[in-house]
Amino acid sequence: MSRSHMDVTEQADNPACPVTEVLDRVAGKWAIGILVAAAKGPVRFTELERAIEGVSRRMLTLNLRKLEREGLLVRTVYPTVPPRVEYECTEMALELHDTLLSLVGWAERHSGDIARAHAAYDAAHAGAQEEATPARPA
């Protein structure tokens, strides 16, 4: 059963629930890249946008707000024209940073292994996929 369909009482009694909630918040596709990029010091929106390949302005904005709300980023607006905005990791985020670097390193080291495993699995199960898929009437 998916987490979204679990009974509320099941979630409250589940000791892993707080861990799942935290991981859902900090381990998102864009959140990891943002935290890794922001850990180097105060960073501006456009710098983050350039550093995180494939992120749209909207997704970056939403994730920055989420990470600020979670207490992982501090947003500072400087009273200049135009306003200058910087994002900086909190102590809590900097503590998380080492773990994220380990995860990123693991992903980089094993991305080829995972791609080869996918290809091998798909090749081994290609016949089973065709048999399981009903033929469409012409």
Side-chain angles (χ1 to χ4, degrees):
M1 182 179 294
S2 74
R3 282 195 313 266
S4 63
H5 291 95
M6 287 178 65
D7 185 89
V8 174
T9 56
E10 288 179 44
Q11 288 181 351
D13 295 337
N14 183 353
C17 186
V19 172
T20 301
E21 285 181 28
V22 169
L23 290 177
D24 283 349
R25 291 178 176 149
V26 301
K29 177 179 181 179
W30 304 117
I32 292 172
I34 291 168
L35 292 171
V36 168
K40 297 171 185 143
V43 63
R44 296 180 70 176
F45 184 92
T46 53
E47 293 171 305
L48 287 169
E49 194 174 28
R50 282 191 300 264
I52 303 165
E53 188 176 324
V55 70
S56 69
R57 290 183 144 243
R58 174 155 171 73
M59 286 309 299
L60 182 56
T61 299
L62 291 173
N63 277 273
L64 288 168
R65 287 181 189 157
K66 180 182 81 167
L67 292 169
E68 184 181 6
R69 182 173 183 241
E70 301 298 335
L72 296 169
L73 288 179
V74 173
R75 179 178 185 262
T76 305
V77 180
Y78 295 95
T80 60
V81 178
R84 189 178 91 214
V85 180
E86 292 181 340
Y87 297 90
E88 190 169 9
C89 285
T90 63
E91 287 299 317
M92 184 170 49
L94 291 174
E95 184 181 338
L96 175 62
H97 180 252
D98 291 335
T99 304
L100 293 176
L101 284 181
S102 294
L103 177 62
V104 169
W106 178 90
E108 288 171 347
R109 285 190 308 277
H110 295 287
S111 64
D113 299 329
I114 292 170
R116 285 187 290 280
H118 281 196
Y121 181 91
D122 291 348
H125 293 86
Q129 284 285 342
E130 290 170 11
E131 292 171 15
T133 306
R136 290 192 174 146

